[in-house]
Amino acid sequence: DGESHLLRRTLTALERRLDPKRFVRVHRSTIVNVERIREIRSQDHGEHLIIMELGQRLTLSRSYRERVHDLILQA
C-alpha cells in the first residue's frame, strides 16, 4: 500500500521469519510477496525481470529463479 518499513536485521534473518509459501527472495537484496507478482519476463542472457502488481520492476537473480518458479507453480 505504498508504505515502507525500516528494519535493522539481515535479509536472511527476515526471510527466516516470513511464511515461505508467500514470500520469496528474488535477489540478494530483495524479498517479495508472491501474491503480488504480476508477471515474469525472460530477458537476454538468461536473466529475468519481475513485474509487480503496482508496476515495480525487479531483477530476478539466477540463483533464486528456481525457488520463484516452484512457488508460482504451487499457487
Side-chain angles (χ1 to χ4, degrees):
D1 294 326
E3 295 181 27
S4 21
H5 303 274
L6 177 62
L7 298 173
R8 297 202 183 276
R9 63 179 54 144
T10 66
L11 272 184
T12 300
L14 177 61
E15 185 178 22
R16 285 188 200 122
R17 295 186 63 170
L18 295 171
D19 180 354
K21 294 177 185 167
R22 292 187 55 209
F23 294 90
V24 65
R25 196 158 187 171
V26 298
H27 190 272
R28 66 184 180 100
S29 61
T30 311
I31 296 173
V32 300
N33 182 335
V34 175
E35 297 169 4
R36 303 289 186 218
I37 295 174
R38 181 173 66 196
E39 177 182 357
I40 298 177
R41 293 183 187 167
S42 182
Q43 304 286 77
D44 294 334
H45 309 293
E47 296 179 3
H48 289 76
L49 182 68
I50 295 176
I51 311 295
M52 300 299 290
E53 215 173 56
L54 297 177
Q56 302 96 327
R57 295 171 176 261
L58 306 170
T59 299
L60 173 56
S61 173
R62 290 180 190 153
S63 56
Y64 298 104
R65 185 174 40 204
E66 187 173 325
R67 175 78 175 121
V68 171
H69 184 262
D70 291 346
L71 272 177
I72 289 174
L73 287 179
Q74 291 174 10

